[in-house]
Amino acid sequence: MKETIDYIQNKIKTFKPKLGIILGSGLGDFADNIEGVRIKYSDIPGFETSTVAGHKGQLVFGEVFGKNTVIMQGRYHFYEGYHISRIVYPVKVMKKLGVDTLIITNAAGSVNKKYNAGDLMIITDHINLMGVNPLIGENDSSLGDRFPDMSEIYDHTLAALAQKKGKELGLSMRKGVYAAMSGPSYETPAEINMLRIVGADAVGMSTVPEALVANYCSMRVLGISCITNSAAGVHPSRLCHSEVVETAEKIKDSFMNLLMAVIENI
Ligand code: HPA
């Protein structure tokens, strides 16, 4: 960790990020317009190299509406084969750099039958069905407790702000529970049925490890899912990654406008 922090600090000098953003599938462009320092994951000691198509794999440090921000342009997924501790490592690094608020975005399938592709869902809570907890292992007590509370991972005030700004922008806003599966296979219709029964509104393969660790580190968390498709069995058609990318691409501009409006008022 010390080596990671020293390497980054040497690049960003006195810049101290307060806001962190993790950009999901198809949303990476948001960081393209930000002026600042860019550091490739592959250059950072302790970081892995991201592999998913459509994810750039770099940290972008810069000001957004006067707020010192660090953006993860591309994230690590459990299904890529990394140890779960590597997936959440950047969140711990952000905390050590001074980040106290984290916005996490993702692409997700709708489990709730009322939700449609193109909706944006503010995450109110999550269900970890990845089969692994990112805090397993030795605890670094400088970051958080051994047995951290998870009764309010997603900050109510930030969620309300995002809802309000989304509505003002005329976007189709939803809120609900995000269930995380390991992937990389999409779910079966029976699994989606199970997710509905246990109370999920959307399903994806990310976000939960990062949100869990951010909460453990006492960060305020805002999670936003871009609903890219109906989950398996909701409409009897087959699922493909290109459909996910295509929808994400279509609502990218709305999503970016929402992000900007939230950051401006955070
Ligand atoms: N399932 C899991 N992950 C996803 C989906 C889905 O339907 N859509 C986008 N990410």
Side-chain angles (χ1 to χ4, degrees), residues 205-218:
M205 306 171 192
S206 68
T207 300
V208 160
E210 297 104 314
L212 191 159
V213 168
N215 182 59
Y216 153 80
C217 295
S218 312

Side-chain angles (χ1 to χ4, degrees), residues 108-122 124 127 172-179 187 189 191-204 225 227-235:
S110 64
V111 173
N112 187 319
K113 288 184 178 168
K114 293 191 186 128
Y115 296 5
N116 303 302
D119 292 350
L120 296 178
M121 188 187 89
I122 305 301
T124 53
I127 305 174
S172 175
M173 300 302 294
R174 308 286 193 170
K175 56 182 173 181
V177 174
Y178 175 93
E187 302 70 33
E191 285 165 346
I192 295 302
N193 215 11
M194 172 196 77
L195 293 178
R196 198 172 295 119
I197 292 165
V198 298
D201 296 292
V203 59
S225 290
I227 304 293
T228 51
N229 58 283
S230 298
V234 177
H235 296 299

Side-chain angles (χ1 to χ4, degrees), residues 41-58:
Y41 297 161
S42 51
D43 291 339
I44 305 174
F47 273 52
E48 307 279 351
T49 318
S50 188
T51 60
V52 177
H55 287 253
K56 261 193 183 139
Q58 61 181 2

Side-chain angles (χ1 to χ4, degrees), residues 1-11 39-49 59 76 86 89-90 93 97:
M1 179 59 85
K2 189 179 176 308
E3 212 185 311
T4 307
I5 300 294
D6 286 350
Y7 181 87
I8 293 172
Q9 261 164 355
N10 188 38
K11 299 266 180 208
I39 316 177
K40 286 203 185 72
Y41 297 161
S42 51
D43 291 339
I44 305 174
F47 273 52
E48 307 279 351
T49 318
L59 289 182
Y76 302 116
R86 306 322 303 157
Y89 186 67
V93 169
L97 290 171

Side-chain angles (χ1 to χ4, degrees), residues 25-42:
S25 297
L27 305 165
D29 291 4
F30 179 80
D32 288 344
N33 308 321
I34 310 267
E35 265 181 52
V37 177
R38 290 171 157 70
I39 316 177
K40 286 203 185 72
Y41 297 161
S42 51

